[in-house]
Amino acid sequence: MRVSTRRRGPWSGSTRGRLTGLARRTALSFFAVQVAVAVVLTLVDSYRRRGKKPKPFPTTPPESVSIGNGTLTTYTFGQDLYDDMLAAIAAAEHQVLLETYIWKGDQMGERFKRALSEAAGRGVEVYAVYDGFANLVVPPHFKRFGPRLKVLEYPLYNAGWRFFDLRRYGRDHRKILVVDDEVAFVGGYNIGSAYATEWRDTHVRITGPGVWDLKRSFADFWNLNRRPRHGNRPLLLETVADWEPRIRVQRNVPRLWMFPIRSMYIEAINRASQHVWMTHAYFIPDPDIEESIKQAARRGVDVRLLVPAVSNHVVADWLSRGFYGELLEAGVRIFRFQGAMVHAKTSTIDGRWSTVGTANIDRLSMTGNYEINLEVIDAAFAAEMERIYRTDLSNCVELTAERWEARGLHRKFTELVLAPLRPLL
């Protein structure tokens, strides 16, 4: 009988097992700390917000710009936008397509629901889509629309048995209204009474060939996600030959693994030679977008980032702040909007290029959710976007490098602890 005399090395199986277990427990403990910090921050923020109302903020009146055979009209105050959207629905003769992420069951939500029902009652074909997850807290009775409306609630869970198919986990974060091939609206505004007067957002009204691109975007989403067992038939469109090359609709479609909005931003920022002015509610860039922004500032481009001083998602605020030091060091100027939530997702570059839409600069928007952005290459529209930006700057406080470095140690610690959560948002 031969007995092995081979000596065990320092990394025996039992040793590796203990180290693996230790590493696993350490990782889980650290993740638990992150979750605990996030929960505490959320609870404290909710407590501080009780009874507080946003302060008034400056807005820019709606202004129209002609592009080819159509127009673009900008909105920075929700009530102005809702009035025109409801008027368009009231004037509809053939078809209304509405898609929104949040549809509150409050007074404004009821106004839209009633307007759609009245349109359907006079023979207009009405389609509506809303996101199931975003509207979990909306009363169930509000979600009963009647048989005359064709309504799709994008499901809370859409993967079915395909548990590991990441393409099926994106939320429907888009906000679109199309009426009669004549007029369309797209931008950051959800539907709800608070958004009408208390949030600063940006939306665009479109006439001309660009309307059809938004209509096609709605139809593609409907046909991709409709549920035939519930009687949802496909929405078929005729091909339109006319198009406006200065207006492009960029759509993220996670089901098809299409994320052009991220590429659009990187391409535009990398081409900038004069200025890059960005407004974003939630700014948690991936390394490539962050590097593009810093490189633009380093080569002398006037890069400005306008964000809420305090947003409606406190954890997103802390994750965003973790980027400020490097951005300021690279020469990016950061402005924080005061007293109210700025929810816009816009940028304008070099007096020629602009975008307005639903996508934030974060992982969920860039490579996760269904999003839609209008890309406009036009000097007159860029000038209007710059005018809006200057109005917003009048309600901002610039964050200097000195002030940022002087923040407390507890703030730096919180940013450090939460940093690993960035890829999740």
Side-chain angles (χ1 to χ4, degrees):
M1 178 178 177
R2 301 179 62 182
V3 178
S4 174
T5 58
R6 185 176 59 183
R7 297 177 61 187
R8 289 188 177 184
W11 299 103
S12 65
S14 60
T15 302
R16 285 196 299 270
R18 287 194 299 271
L19 291 175
T20 300
L22 177 62
R24 186 182 299 114
R25 288 192 297 272
T26 301
L28 290 174
S29 297
F30 187 60
F31 180 72
V33 170
Q34 294 171 330
V35 172
V37 170
V39 170
V40 169
L41 289 173
T42 302
L43 292 175
V44 171
D45 183 67
S46 298
Y47 177 78
R48 289 177 174 174
R49 289 176 183 272
R50 291 191 309 175
K52 289 187 177 180
K53 281 289 187 180
K55 297 178 181 178
F57 51 88
T59 60
T60 308
E63 188 70 29
S64 296
V65 173
S66 296
I67 300 179
N69 295 324
T71 62
L72 293 180
T73 304
T74 53
Y75 297 87
T76 65
F77 190 62
Q79 191 62 60
D80 295 335
L81 169 69
Y82 293 156
D83 288 345
D84 283 2
M85 291 175 70
L86 290 166
I89 295 172
E93 297 179 356
H94 306 292
Q95 188 180 70
V96 174
L97 311 176
L98 175 67
E99 182 176 356
T100 185
Y101 179 59
I102 297 174
W103 191 346
K104 295 287 189 182
D106 55 19
Q107 183 179 7
M108 186 59 69
E110 288 285 359
R111 288 186 63 188
F112 272 87
K113 182 178 178 180
R114 184 166 58 252
L116 294 176
S117 297
E118 291 173 354
R122 60 178 184 270
V124 176
E125 190 177 39
V126 178
Y127 291 78
V129 177
Y130 64 91
D131 188 88
F133 173 77
N135 296 280
L136 281 175
V137 298
V138 175
H141 67 81
F142 178 81
K143 300 175 185 178
R144 292 193 286 268
F145 293 91
R148 293 182 299 186
L149 274 66
K150 303 174 181 66
V151 180
L152 171 63
E153 178 181 2
Y154 186 71
L156 178 66
Y157 176 73
N158 199 39
W161 292 103
R162 304 175 181 88
F163 305 116
F164 302 106
D165 189 351
L166 299 180
R167 300 176 303 168
R168 296 175 180 270
Y169 284 91
R171 306 313 314 165
D172 180 19
H173 194 241
R174 310 192 311 176
K175 298 94 177 174
I176 302 171
L177 173 65
V178 183
V179 178
D180 283 350
D181 295 337
E182 298 295 327
V183 61
F185 300 80
V186 65
Y189 275 102
N190 293 291
I191 296 176
S193 297
Y195 311 129
T197 57
E198 299 177 8
W199 285 37
R200 163 67 189 91
D201 213 329
T202 303
H203 229 77
V204 175
R205 177 181 184 268
I206 307 169
T207 65
V211 173
W212 189 85
D213 286 326
L214 287 172
K215 182 175 182 178
R216 184 187 64 171
S217 299
F218 180 96
D220 288 349
F221 182 89
W222 177 275
N223 294 335
L224 190 65
N225 295 284
R226 69 186 181 88
R227 288 167 287 179
R229 281 179 289 179
H230 293 186
N232 292 330
R233 297 182 179 180
L235 177 55
L236 305 178
L237 304 181
E238 296 181 0
T239 301
V240 177
D242 193 15
W243 64 294
E244 173 52 64
R246 288 169 289 182
I247 301 176
R248 304 169 184 172
V249 174
Q250 304 288 2
R251 298 177 288 154
N252 282 357
V253 186
R255 180 80 169 272
L256 303 179
W257 222 244
M258 292 171 48
F259 300 102
I261 297 176
R262 178 178 181 274
S263 302
M264 175 196 76
Y265 264 110
I266 293 175
E267 172 77 10
I269 294 169
N270 286 344
R271 294 184 60 150
S273 61
Q274 299 171 26
H275 65 261
V276 175
W277 293 356
M278 309 177 73
T279 300
H280 280 282
Y282 316 112
F283 182 80
I284 311 171
D286 63 47
D288 294 329
I289 295 179
E290 180 190 9
E291 188 61 26
S292 293
I293 292 171
K294 292 192 294 187
Q295 287 294 340
R298 287 168 182 156
R299 66 176 181 266
V301 176
D302 175 19
V303 182
R304 305 184 185 188
L305 173 63
L306 195 156
V307 294
V310 179
S311 82
N312 63 320
H313 293 300
V314 65
V315 175
D317 288 346
W318 281 99
L319 294 178
S320 181
R321 291 165 191 161
F323 295 94
Y324 289 175
E326 293 183 19
L327 293 173
L328 290 167
E329 183 179 355
V332 177
R333 299 177 67 186
I334 300 175
F335 298 86
R336 299 198 288 184
F337 198 79
Q338 303 295 304
M341 173 63 185
V342 57
H343 190 251
K345 305 94 167 52
T346 66
S347 295
T348 186
I349 297 178
D350 286 355
R352 295 289 298 175
W353 180 95
S354 304
T355 185
V356 177
T358 69
N360 300 296
I361 300 293
D362 58 23
R363 189 206 64 80
L364 289 176
S365 283
M366 293 291 103
T367 57
N369 292 336
Y370 290 90
E371 305 281 1
I372 188 162
N373 267 51
L374 205 64
E375 182 183 21
V376 184
I377 304 174
D378 180 79
F381 186 74
E384 176 60 20
M385 293 301 295
E386 291 174 8
R387 184 171 75 99
I388 292 172
Y389 202 88
R390 292 189 181 94
T391 299
D392 290 337
L393 286 179
S394 69
N395 193 55
C396 290
V397 172
E398 183 170 3
L399 179 65
T400 63
E402 295 77 17
R403 184 175 180 182
W404 184 242
E405 284 300 321
R407 71 195 188 282
L409 286 176
H410 68 288
R411 297 180 181 277
K412 296 178 182 180
F413 173 77
T414 304
E415 295 160 13
L416 180 64
V417 169
L418 293 178
L421 295 179
R422 292 173 184 172
L424 302 179
L425 298 180

